[in-house]
PDB file of all heavy atoms in Angstrom:
ATOM      1  N   ARG A  81      -3.481   6.796   8.354  1.00 99.00           N
ATOM      2  CA  ARG A  81      -4.299   6.915   9.595  1.00 99.00           C
ATOM      3  C   ARG A  81      -3.654   7.894  10.603  1.00 99.00           C
ATOM      4  O   ARG A  81      -2.511   7.660  11.022  1.00 99.00           O
ATOM      5  CB  ARG A  81      -4.375   5.522  10.217  1.00 99.00           C
ATOM      6  CG  ARG A  81      -5.362   5.454  11.444  1.00 99.00           C
ATOM      7  CD  ARG A  81      -5.670   3.944  11.767  1.00 99.00           C
ATOM      8  NE  ARG A  81      -4.413   3.160  12.139  1.00 99.00           N
ATOM      9  CZ  ARG A  81      -3.875   3.178  13.281  1.00 99.00           C
ATOM     10  NH1 ARG A  81      -4.393   3.830  14.273  1.00 99.00           N
ATOM     11  NH2 ARG A  81      -2.757   2.487  13.473  1.00 99.00           N
ATOM     12  N   LEU A  82      -4.369   9.024  10.869  1.00 98.00           N
ATOM     13  CA  LEU A  82      -3.711  10.051  11.628  1.00 98.00           C
ATOM     14  C   LEU A  82      -3.456   9.594  13.078  1.00 98.00           C
ATOM     15  O   LEU A  82      -4.197   8.771  13.710  1.00 98.00           O
ATOM     16  CB  LEU A  82      -4.574  11.312  11.639  1.00 98.00           C
ATOM     17  CG  LEU A  82      -4.390  12.382  10.601  1.00 98.00           C
ATOM     18  CD1 LEU A  82      -4.869  11.722   9.240  1.00 98.00           C
ATOM     19  CD2 LEU A  82      -5.191  13.664  10.936  1.00 98.00           C
ATOM     20  N   LYS A  83      -2.350  10.075  13.642  1.00 98.00           N
ATOM     21  CA  LYS A  83      -2.086   9.878  15.107  1.00 98.00           C
ATOM     22  C   LYS A  83      -2.929  10.845  15.916  1.00 98.00           C
ATOM     23  O   LYS A  83      -3.422  11.898  15.380  1.00 98.00           O
ATOM     24  CB  LYS A  83      -0.636  10.155  15.330  1.00 98.00           C
ATOM     25  CG  LYS A  83       0.320   9.294  14.684  1.00 98.00           C
ATOM     26  CD  LYS A  83       1.663   9.665  14.951  1.00 98.00           C
ATOM     27  CE  LYS A  83       2.684   8.673  14.169  1.00 98.00           C
ATOM     28  NZ  LYS A  83       4.076   9.158  14.204  1.00 98.00           N
ATOM     29  N   GLU A  84      -3.137  10.458  17.157  1.00 98.00           N
ATOM     30  CA  GLU A  84      -3.990  11.501  18.098  1.00 98.00           C
ATOM     31  C   GLU A  84      -3.402  12.837  17.973  1.00 98.00           C
ATOM     32  O   GLU A  84      -4.139  13.772  17.975  1.00 98.00           O
ATOM     33  CB  GLU A  84      -3.911  10.936  19.440  1.00 98.00           C
ATOM     34  CG  GLU A  84      -5.361  10.274  19.834  1.00 98.00           C
ATOM     35  CD  GLU A  84      -5.327   9.752  21.294  1.00 98.00           C
ATOM     36  OE1 GLU A  84      -5.181  10.550  22.251  1.00 98.00           O
ATOM     37  OE2 GLU A  84      -5.449   8.465  21.344  1.00 98.00           O
ATOM     38  N   ASP A  85      -2.161  12.967  17.999  1.00 97.00           N
ATOM     39  CA  ASP A  85      -1.500  14.294  18.041  1.00 97.00           C
ATOM     40  C   ASP A  85      -1.775  15.070  16.793  1.00 97.00           C
ATOM     41  O   ASP A  85      -1.999  16.277  16.776  1.00 97.00           O
ATOM     42  CB  ASP A  85       0.012  14.193  18.112  1.00 97.00           C
ATOM     43  CG  ASP A  85       0.491  13.730  19.485  1.00 97.00           C
ATOM     44  OD1 ASP A  85      -0.399  13.653  20.397  1.00 97.00           O
ATOM     45  OD2 ASP A  85       1.698  13.403  19.628  1.00 97.00           O
ATOM     46  N   ASP A  86      -1.765  14.279  15.618  1.00 97.00           N
ATOM     47  CA  ASP A  86      -2.168  14.958  14.339  1.00 97.00           C
ATOM     48  C   ASP A  86      -3.534  15.496  14.403  1.00 97.00           C
ATOM     49  O   ASP A  86      -3.886  16.490  13.898  1.00 97.00           O
ATOM     50  CB  ASP A  86      -2.131  13.870  13.132  1.00 97.00           C
ATOM     51  CG  ASP A  86      -0.711  13.253  12.972  1.00 97.00           C
ATOM     52  OD1 ASP A  86       0.267  13.919  13.132  1.00 97.00           O
ATOM     53  OD2 ASP A  86      -0.696  12.078  12.444  1.00 97.00           O
ATOM     54  N   VAL A  87      -4.450  14.578  15.033  1.00 98.00           N
ATOM     55  CA  VAL A  87      -5.827  14.922  15.007  1.00 98.00           C
ATOM     56  C   VAL A  87      -6.160  16.239  15.742  1.00 98.00           C
ATOM     57  O   VAL A  87      -6.859  17.164  15.239  1.00 98.00           O
ATOM     58  CB  VAL A  87      -6.717  13.779  15.478  1.00 98.00           C
ATOM     59  CG1 VAL A  87      -8.253  14.193  15.681  1.00 98.00           C
ATOM     60  CG2 VAL A  87      -6.573  12.561  14.662  1.00 98.00           C
ATOM     61  N   HIS A  88      -5.395  16.343  16.884  1.00 98.00           N
ATOM     62  CA  HIS A  88      -5.635  17.596  17.689  1.00 98.00           C
ATOM     63  C   HIS A  88      -5.002  18.721  16.981  1.00 98.00           C
ATOM     64  O   HIS A  88      -5.622  19.955  16.934  1.00 98.00           O
ATOM     65  CB  HIS A  88      -4.811  17.383  19.093  1.00 98.00           C
ATOM     66  CG  HIS A  88      -5.626  16.488  20.045  1.00 98.00           C
ATOM     67  ND1 HIS A  88      -6.893  16.700  20.357  1.00 98.00           N
ATOM     68  CD2 HIS A  88      -5.206  15.346  20.557  1.00 98.00           C
ATOM     69  CE1 HIS A  88      -7.255  15.736  21.146  1.00 98.00           C
ATOM     70  NE2 HIS A  88      -6.342  14.891  21.286  1.00 98.00           N
ATOM     71  N   ALA A  89      -3.888  18.539  16.335  1.00 97.00           N
ATOM     72  CA  ALA A  89      -3.160  19.626  15.606  1.00 97.00           C
ATOM     73  C   ALA A  89      -3.990  20.240  14.493  1.00 97.00           C
ATOM     74  O   ALA A  89      -4.033  21.505  14.233  1.00 97.00           O
ATOM     75  CB  ALA A  89      -1.840  19.279  15.193  1.00 97.00           C
ATOM     76  N   VAL A  90      -4.635  19.423  13.786  1.00 98.00           N
ATOM     77  CA  VAL A  90      -5.321  19.863  12.582  1.00 98.00           C
ATOM     78  C   VAL A  90      -6.733  20.385  12.813  1.00 98.00           C
ATOM     79  O   VAL A  90      -7.434  21.038  11.979  1.00 98.00           O
ATOM     80  CB  VAL A  90      -5.474  18.804  11.402  1.00 98.00           C
ATOM     81  CG1 VAL A  90      -4.019  18.382  10.992  1.00 98.00           C
ATOM     82  CG2 VAL A  90      -6.247  17.574  11.846  1.00 98.00           C
ATOM     83  N   ALA A  91      -7.301  20.204  14.036  1.00 98.00           N
ATOM     84  CA  ALA A  91      -8.613  20.471  14.450  1.00 98.00           C
ATOM     85  C   ALA A  91      -9.039  21.939  14.013  1.00 98.00           C
ATOM     86  O   ALA A  91     -10.152  21.996  13.415  1.00 98.00           O
ATOM     87  CB  ALA A  91      -8.877  20.190  15.832  1.00 98.00           C
ATOM     88  N   PRO A  92      -8.287  22.972  14.235  1.00 97.00           N
ATOM     89  CA  PRO A  92      -8.709  24.284  13.798  1.00 97.00           C
ATOM     90  C   PRO A  92      -8.849  24.472  12.232  1.00 97.00           C
ATOM     91  O   PRO A  92      -9.459  25.492  11.885  1.00 97.00           O
ATOM     92  CB  PRO A  92      -7.552  25.209  14.411  1.00 97.00           C
ATOM     93  CG  PRO A  92      -6.766  24.308  15.310  1.00 97.00           C
ATOM     94  CD  PRO A  92      -6.940  22.894  14.905  1.00 97.00           C
ATOM     95  N   PHE A  93      -8.365  23.552  11.526  1.00 98.00           N
ATOM     96  CA  PHE A  93      -8.324  23.750  10.058  1.00 98.00           C
ATOM     97  C   PHE A  93      -9.512  22.921   9.404  1.00 98.00           C
ATOM     98  O   PHE A  93      -9.678  22.994   8.276  1.00 98.00           O
ATOM     99  CB  PHE A  93      -7.034  23.255   9.448  1.00 98.00           C
ATOM    100  CG  PHE A  93      -5.871  24.117  10.003  1.00 98.00           C
ATOM    101  CD1 PHE A  93      -5.154  23.607  11.177  1.00 98.00           C
ATOM    102  CD2 PHE A  93      -5.504  25.222   9.322  1.00 98.00           C
ATOM    103  CE1 PHE A  93      -4.038  24.284  11.567  1.00 98.00           C
ATOM    104  CE2 PHE A  93      -4.358  25.959   9.819  1.00 98.00           C
ATOM    105  CZ  PHE A  93      -3.701  25.469  10.911  1.00 98.00           C
ATOM    106  N   LEU A  94     -10.361  22.370  10.224  1.00 98.00           N
ATOM    107  CA  LEU A  94     -11.331  21.421   9.674  1.00 98.00           C
ATOM    108  C   LEU A  94     -12.770  22.099   9.647  1.00 98.00           C
ATOM    109  O   LEU A  94     -13.047  22.976  10.473  1.00 98.00           O
ATOM    110  CB  LEU A  94     -11.438  20.126  10.495  1.00 98.00           C
ATOM    111  CG  LEU A  94     -10.138  19.399  10.590  1.00 98.00           C
ATOM    112  CD1 LEU A  94     -10.355  18.096  11.437  1.00 98.00           C
ATOM    113  CD2 LEU A  94      -9.394  19.227   9.360  1.00 98.00           C
ATOM    114  N   HIS A  95     -13.632  21.629   8.736  1.00 97.00           N
ATOM    115  CA  HIS A  95     -14.975  22.177   8.666  1.00 97.00           C
ATOM    116  C   HIS A  95     -15.912  21.022   9.073  1.00 97.00           C
ATOM    117  O   HIS A  95     -15.571  19.818   9.045  1.00 97.00           O
ATOM    118  CB  HIS A  95     -15.348  22.710   7.322  1.00 97.00           C
ATOM    119  CG  HIS A  95     -15.262  21.757   6.170  1.00 97.00           C
ATOM    120  ND1 HIS A  95     -16.289  20.690   6.074  1.00 97.00           N
ATOM    121  CD2 HIS A  95     -14.398  21.491   5.212  1.00 97.00           C
ATOM    122  CE1 HIS A  95     -15.913  19.978   4.936  1.00 97.00           C
ATOM    123  NE2 HIS A  95     -14.756  20.473   4.497  1.00 97.00           N
ATOM    124  N   ASP A  96     -17.227  21.394   9.251  1.00 95.00           N
ATOM    125  CA  ASP A  96     -18.173  20.322   9.561  1.00 95.00           C
ATOM    126  C   ASP A  96     -19.381  20.383   8.524  1.00 95.00           C
ATOM    127  O   ASP A  96     -20.522  20.122   8.895  1.00 95.00           O
ATOM    128  CB  ASP A  96     -18.665  20.457  11.026  1.00 95.00           C
ATOM    129  CG  ASP A  96     -19.333  21.652  11.378  1.00 95.00           C
ATOM    130  OD1 ASP A  96     -19.544  22.552  10.378  1.00 95.00           O
ATOM    131  OD2 ASP A  96     -19.754  21.826  12.516  1.00 95.00           O
ATOM    132  N   LYS A  97     -18.985  20.657   7.276  1.00 95.00           N
ATOM    133  CA  LYS A  97     -20.032  20.778   6.287  1.00 95.00           C
ATOM    134  C   LYS A  97     -20.268  19.356   5.650  1.00 95.00           C
ATOM    135  O   LYS A  97     -21.285  19.218   4.997  1.00 95.00           O
ATOM    136  CB  LYS A  97     -19.587  21.714   5.160  1.00 95.00           C
ATOM    137  CG  LYS A  97     -19.686  23.215   5.598  1.00 95.00           C
ATOM    138  CD  LYS A  97     -19.198  24.160   4.498  1.00 95.00           C
ATOM    139  CE  LYS A  97     -17.779  23.968   4.208  1.00 95.00           C
ATOM    140  NZ  LYS A  97     -17.098  25.097   3.540  1.00 95.00           N
ATOM    141  N   GLY A  98     -19.372  18.423   5.797  1.00 95.00           N
ATOM    142  CA  GLY A  98     -19.441  17.163   5.142  1.00 95.00           C
ATOM    143  C   GLY A  98     -20.627  16.385   5.750  1.00 95.00           C
ATOM    144  O   GLY A  98     -20.864  16.386   6.964  1.00 95.00           O
ATOM    145  N   VAL A  99     -21.332  15.660   4.869  1.00 96.00           N
ATOM    146  CA  VAL A  99     -22.439  14.737   5.394  1.00 96.00           C
ATOM    147  C   VAL A  99     -21.898  13.275   5.384  1.00 96.00           C
ATOM    148  O   VAL A  99     -21.112  12.971   4.449  1.00 96.00           O
ATOM    149  CB  VAL A  99     -23.669  14.847   4.518  1.00 96.00           C
ATOM    150  CG1 VAL A  99     -24.354  16.179   4.780  1.00 96.00           C
ATOM    151  CG2 VAL A  99     -23.448  14.662   3.101  1.00 96.00           C
TER     152      VAL A  99
END
Side-chain angles (χ1 to χ4, degrees):
R81 185 168 59 86
L82 271 70
K83 297 179 180 167
E84 255 180 64
D85 288 354
D86 300 326
V87 175
H88 288 302
V90 299
F93 299 91
L94 309 184
H95 63 72
D96 61 2
K97 291 182 290 201
V99 289

